[in-house]
Structures are given as C-alpha cells and as structure tokens.
Amino acid sequence: MSTSTHADATEPPEQPPAGPLFVPVRPGPAGCSARVFRTPPGARTAVGFTSEARLRNTLGRDQAWIRLSEPALRALVGPLGVAVLTVDPQFSAPTATRSGRVERRTGVPAGTGTAAVTTRLDLLIG
C-alpha cells in the first residue's frame, strides 16, 4: 500500500510566539490593566504590537503600554474569556465617546474607520 500526502489535508504550521509585545493599557484604581478590544465580527481580543512605533501609529502617541510576552498576555486575559490575540493590527476604528460623537485617533488615515476595512474595532471592554 502506498501512502499519499494531500497538501490541503494538512493543517497550517503553528505560529511561533510573537516574543515581547507592546500591550496597550489603561489606568485604573488598582494600577493599569490591559485594554481589550473587539474584532469586526465582534470577538473580544487582546492586542499586542511588535514595536512601540506600530502601537503609536495605530492608537496614538499618548497610549500607555507595558511589555509582556505573548504567553503572559494570554494568561492575563484568559480568565476574562478572551482567547483571541491580535498582533500588529494596522487600522483603528474611531472611538465613540459617551456623548455619541466620534473621535478620530491620531495617526489613523482618514477613511479607514469602517468595520469592513479594519482589523479591530476600538471598543473598550470595561
């Protein structure tokens, strides 16, 4: 009997860990916490960037961040039910303010704020 390998029957290779990431955080009463976002389909996701420049270009120069490894970030958000990790998202949707007005983030090209072309929506999970 001969064995054959079908290219479409194999699974894609597992991605290696991204290494230390720049993780956006927000201040809180007990220190800072990792920001959790939503993807366009609505899944909650943790976000990490491979460089400070990428984080600043996407979320603005005033965004606070910490360095975490991919496993540490996953361990941090896992108990919150967040299983998705997005590394280096390129676009950010505008942030809706409490008044319902939309605020455009610094460094985000105009016209990229729709869910159809973003890699995530900037909706903060409290």
Side-chain angles (χ1 to χ4, degrees):
M1 265 170 77
S2 67
T3 60
S4 62
T5 305
H6 298 287
D8 57 345
T10 62
E11 293 193 23
E14 191 173 313
Q15 293 291 331
L21 297 169
F22 293 82
V23 178
V25 296
R26 63 183 173 100
C32 61
S33 58
R35 291 185 65 188
V36 178
F37 300 86
R38 289 199 182 268
T39 63
R44 294 170 68 198
T45 182
V47 173
F49 295 86
T50 55
S51 73
E52 182 180 356
R54 288 178 186 225
L55 179 139
R56 301 246 183 260
N57 287 339
T58 303
L59 298 177
R61 56 177 268 199
D62 294 331
Q63 174 62 57
W65 54 268
I66 59 172
R67 294 280 296 215
L68 290 174
S69 67
E70 180 181 343
L73 179 55
R74 287 184 186 279
L76 183 67
V77 298
L80 302 173
V82 178
V84 178
L85 172 61
T86 303
V87 177
D88 288 332
Q90 297 177 3
F91 299 108
S92 172
T95 301
T97 63
R98 289 180 189 231
S99 66
R101 291 185 356 207
V102 173
E103 234 175 58
R104 174 137 317 267
R105 291 245 182 233
T106 311
V108 178
T112 60
T114 63
V117 296
T118 61
T119 55
R120 67 167 180 73
L121 291 179
D122 192 9
L123 298 177
L124 179 63
I125 303 300

